[in-house]
Amino acid sequence: MVLGRMANPVLRRRNRGFAATRQEIISVARDIMREEGAGALSLHEVARRVGMKAPSLYTYFESKHALYDEIFRLGMEQYRAELAELDRKYGLGPELLYATIAHYMRFADEHPELYALLFERPVPGFEPSEASMVEARGLLEDSNARVQALLENGTIRSGLSVEQTRDVVIVLTHGLTALKRANEPSARIGEGRFGALVPHVAALLKTAWMPGEDPVSREEPS
Amino acid sequence: MVLGRMANPVLRRRNRGFAATRQEIISVARDIMREEGAGALSLHEVARRVGMKAPSLYTYFESKHALYDEIFRLGMEQYRAELAELDRKYGLGPELLYATIAHYMRFADEHPELYALLFERPVPGFEPSEASMVEARGLLEDSNARVQALLENGTIRSGLSVEQTRDVVIVLTHGLTALKRANEPSARIGEGRFGALVPHVAALLKTAWMPGEDPVSREEPS
DNA sequence: TCACTTTTCCGAATAGCGTTAGATTACGCG
DNA sequence: CGCGTAATCTAACGCTATTCGGAAAAGTGA
């Protein structure tokens, strides 16, 4: 019974180091959350899939909540990076409004387990750690500031304040995504009852807010 | 040790009949859902609070999901009744728009456990039974038709279809409520960042849609 | 290569969960 | 009173998260 050392997943992993195993656990955990719902994560199931027994996972995470917390932090990080990407692409141009809304929806479609953990409360008793909340608050402020800067680069025509208009944008963004996920989770963006509404909502917002390089002297960007 | 027969909660209940005990179980279950989150309901905890052992609950509900399902159905019923109340109060008058949005938010504040079960997916693996889904679809159609009738009793000025405008109303309603619950669960309606936004959003909607008894000949109702 | 340390893993155990089966208790009625 | 039925119990199964103590493997230095 001399098996090659690499036939055993445990032995195979031992050589890859702590960080790699951690990553594998996180990846499998996200798989389960995607398949069964974010709140249905089970450490025993994780252990089964990575070829371990459940107690061994405690070498890598001090509890199930700590695993959730790491995934939460990771999600924040990724979302923040993607927002930065959007900024590089659109600057404060008028397409940024549509792009921001559509991106939120796309993020929810592509990483439903992250979306659930970040923007819903699917796990009873789970509160992100203070460290993760710092990241989360940072993202929130960034995000608010972005939308606000965009709005200030134009003229509000509805009598609402900049902050109120910003919050309306957030409400529409989250509402559209939540309803799309609940009613047509697999529809593509631009399609389906709520997915198709995104460009219309973006257009509608321009009834209340006129985009423009400068409220006084407007020119088409060449 | 001759205790009065009524000192034992089990004996006390025996005389009250099946339906009363069922109600007590439902009530306690809703308490727990409100305290710990809708997904954190535990039959053992229910049993403890009503003075039973967990298996005894299976006399009244054939499973934990069946208990969830009954609460789901109850919530639908109640929400539907409250909508009918709104109709009696406002008819198709222009205040109905604000009242409908505010009512959704108030329902979420007053019955968070029902709101979570009806409009979120807090319990992994729980799908309402077909019977409950009939009720749910009925409510959804009712609700859609109500908003649509209100919109048709006026003029849409945004280029959107009636159905699209109706969906925008739904998006705003759900988005406002979800964000209020996540960020300021205990604020009163009309107060707080999102709670205070309700009247403004209702007003904003009238930029895209003009209310009126009749688009052609408008009169004030005496 | 050998001995020693550290890291990684597992087996056993605890306490809680949902659920089932079977025995037991209490009640209403003849 | 005694019988039948409805309500409740205890015991058990298999699942979960978690803790502990020890085994096993990997790494380290001579």
Side-chain angles (χ1 to χ4, degrees), chain B residues 82-94:
Chain B
E82 292 183 14
L83 277 194
E85 182 76 22
L86 275 193
D87 279 345
R88 273 201 301 283
K89 217 170 186 170
Y90 296 104
L92 282 182

Side-chain angles (χ1 to χ4, degrees), chain B residues 74-136:
Chain B
L74 228 73
M76 284 288 168
E77 211 172 85
Q78 178 169 346
Y79 191 84
R80 208 167 186 176
E82 292 183 14
L83 277 194
E85 182 76 22
L86 275 193
D87 279 345
R88 273 201 301 283
K89 217 170 186 170
Y90 296 104
L92 282 182
E95 306 100 329
L96 181 59
L97 187 64
Y98 170 80
T100 300
I101 299 177
H103 169 261
Y104 190 80
M105 192 177 270
R106 184 159 37 246
F107 186 83
D109 275 353
E110 287 174 3
H111 315 291
E113 80 286 8
L114 297 182
Y115 174 80
L117 211 50
L118 298 190
F119 303 119
E120 300 173 347
R121 300 221 165 265
V123 184
F126 169 65
E127 292 285 330
S129 66
E130 191 47 41
S132 293
M133 280 308 289
V134 169
E135 184 85 17

Side-chain angles (χ1 to χ4, degrees), chain A residues 105-117:
Chain A
M105 192 176 271
R106 183 159 38 245
F107 186 83
D109 275 354
E110 287 175 2
H111 314 291
E113 79 286 8
L114 297 183
Y115 174 80
L117 210 51

Side-chain angles (χ1 to χ4, degrees), chain A residues 9-26 43 46-47 50-71:
Chain A
V10 169
L11 293 185
R12 196 185 325 124
R13 239 189 347 264
R14 283 231 171 168
N15 302 329
R16 295 216 333 256
F18 187 84
T21 306
R22 241 180 99 94
Q23 278 316 112
E24 189 181 352
I25 290 169
I26 290 171
L43 290 187
V46 172
V50 299
M52 276 185 178
K53 302 293 173 169
S56 307
L57 298 175
Y58 285 74
T59 301
Y60 301 94
F61 296 94
E62 69 179 3
S63 72
K64 187 180 170 181
H65 275 31
L67 174 53
Y68 271 129
D69 197 61
E70 178 61 12
I71 296 174

Side-chain angles (χ1 to χ4, degrees), chain B residues 143-189:
Chain B
S143 173
N144 283 346
R146 265 169 40 86
V147 176
Q148 216 162 316
L150 172 63
L151 292 177
E152 275 159 0
N153 193 27
T155 317
I156 295 173
R157 314 171 69 82
S158 59
L160 296 189
S161 71
V162 182
E163 289 80 9
Q164 287 172 327
T165 309
R166 174 203 65 198
D167 285 347
V168 170
V169 172
I170 295 172
V171 164
L172 284 166
T173 304
H174 182 75
L176 275 168
T177 299
L179 286 165
K180 173 178 184 304
R181 287 202 47 73
N183 296 289
E184 47 197 18
S186 56
R188 277 182 295 181
I189 294 182

Side-chain angles (χ1 to χ4, degrees), chain A residues 93-141:
Chain A
E95 305 100 327
L96 181 58
L97 186 64
Y98 170 80
T100 300
I101 299 176
H103 169 262
Y104 190 80
M105 192 176 271
R106 183 159 38 245
F107 186 83
D109 275 354
E110 287 175 2
H111 314 291
E113 79 286 8
L114 297 183
Y115 174 80
L117 210 51
L118 299 190
F119 303 118
E120 300 172 348
R121 301 220 165 266
V123 184
F126 169 65
E127 292 286 329
S129 66
E130 190 48 42
S132 293
M133 281 308 288
V134 169
E135 184 85 18
R137 275 190 285 267
L139 169 59
L140 198 64
E141 282 166 31

